[in-house]
Amino acid sequence: MAEYLASIFGTEKDEVNCSFYFKIGACRHGDRCSRLHNKPTFSQTIVLLNLYRNPQNTAQTADGSLCHVSDVEVQEHYDNFFEEVFTELQEKYGEIEEMNVCDNLGDHLVGNVYVKFRREEDAERAVAELNNRWFNGQAVHAELSPVTDFRESCCRQYEMGECTRGGFCNFMHLRPISRNLRRQLYGRGPRRRSPPRSHTGHRPRERNRRRSPDHQHGHF
């Protein structure tokens, strides 16, 4: 019996533990869920809840109507955000193996930032310190997450451009960063401060580029 319970733990057959919380560290039912959310006491991964704000979802004019933000502007805004958070957390707490940001619209996933550190003690220290910080005018809510394998958490249909649930899908829609930034942050060897040259011979965005006013006070 014990072997059977262990084999179904966190799966759809598990009638006690919530499979969604086990897989993605979040559940649309929240505290009202009929199954248990077993929050880990140690983990390599932390989640910063609702930290990223997509300007396409929040941009409004003074009269309350939505204003258009181009895809290029959104990508640059996202790359700026990703680079700042990744760099600051790695410099303060330790080596990051992987960082992912949800582009979902559901309240339990929107703007969630998942950071997987190489060492569990680094993740524990980050959670303890970040819950006393602010970022972009909002209080940071950090907690340890059970997610360690993001392949189990992601919506495969979204990755193929075929998800019919849109932003309210219950699996992670992970927003990709630009290729140059990925190479810069995850490249082999010591991380370089300046971006590598592109194929055209010109440097892409520089880190000291002028940022929008709401991004100038983003430090934790």
Side-chain angles (χ1 to χ4, degrees):
M1 185 66 177
E3 289 183 4
Y4 172 72
L5 292 176
S7 69
I8 66 170
F9 178 81
T11 68
E12 298 294 335
K13 295 180 180 180
D14 191 337
E15 297 182 358
V16 177
N17 302 288
C18 176
S19 62
F20 271 104
Y21 183 79
F22 181 73
K23 287 181 180 179
I24 66 177
C27 169
R28 64 189 175 93
H29 298 296
D31 295 336
R32 302 185 306 276
C33 185
S34 61
R35 301 183 184 185
L36 295 178
H37 293 177
N38 289 302
K39 296 190 176 183
T41 55
F42 55 88
S43 175
Q44 290 175 260
T45 306
I46 70 171
V47 57
L48 308 175
L49 298 172
N50 313 126
L51 190 70
Y52 173 65
R53 295 178 177 176
N54 186 329
Q56 285 182 324
N57 301 331
T58 58
Q60 289 186 334
T61 59
D63 62 3
S65 60
L66 292 176
C67 59
H68 178 70
V69 182
S70 71
D71 291 341
V72 173
E73 290 173 318
V74 169
Q75 188 63 48
E76 182 170 0
H77 176 276
Y78 176 64
D79 282 352
N80 289 345
F81 168 87
F82 193 102
E83 181 180 5
E84 183 164 358
V85 173
F86 185 103
T87 302
E88 192 150 342
L89 294 184
Q90 181 156 267
E91 289 178 350
K92 284 186 177 179
Y93 303 113
E95 183 181 345
I96 293 174
E97 288 189 355
E98 188 174 357
M99 178 169 134
N100 292 298
V101 180
C102 289
D103 206 24
N104 303 66
L105 295 176
D107 290 342
H108 63 301
L109 284 176
V110 61
N112 284 3
V113 178
Y114 293 83
V115 185
K116 183 179 179 181
F117 290 92
R118 187 174 65 84
R119 303 193 313 165
E120 291 175 349
E121 49 266 47
D122 293 340
E124 183 178 6
R125 186 163 61 92
V127 165
E129 294 186 13
L130 287 171
N131 276 312
N132 298 317
R133 305 292 175 85
W134 289 71
F135 185 88
N136 277 1
Q138 62 178 319
V140 175
H141 183 183
E143 59 186 45
L144 293 175
S145 172
V147 179
T148 54
D149 185 352
F150 288 91
R151 292 172 299 181
E152 294 294 319
S153 313
C154 296
C155 172
R156 291 174 176 80
Q157 285 79 14
Y158 172 76
E159 293 174 351
M160 299 171 64
E162 300 174 355
C163 180
T164 58
R165 298 184 182 93
F168 291 96
C169 179
N170 284 320
F171 285 93
M172 291 184 189
H173 286 189
L174 299 182
R175 187 176 186 90
I177 55 177
S178 64
R179 188 173 301 176
N180 281 335
L181 182 57
R182 177 164 295 279
R183 191 182 303 123
Q184 177 189 340
L185 296 178
Y186 292 106
R188 294 181 180 179
R191 190 165 44 81
R192 288 169 291 184
R193 287 288 183 176
S194 57
R197 291 186 182 277
S198 64
H199 293 298
T200 61
H202 299 291
R203 286 187 181 274
R205 304 168 299 103
E206 292 292 340
R207 182 166 172 79
N208 61 355
R209 58 199 169 276
R210 185 172 62 84
R211 297 183 177 183
S212 58
D214 66 335
H215 205 83
Q216 292 173 357
H217 304 287
H219 294 294
F220 290 105

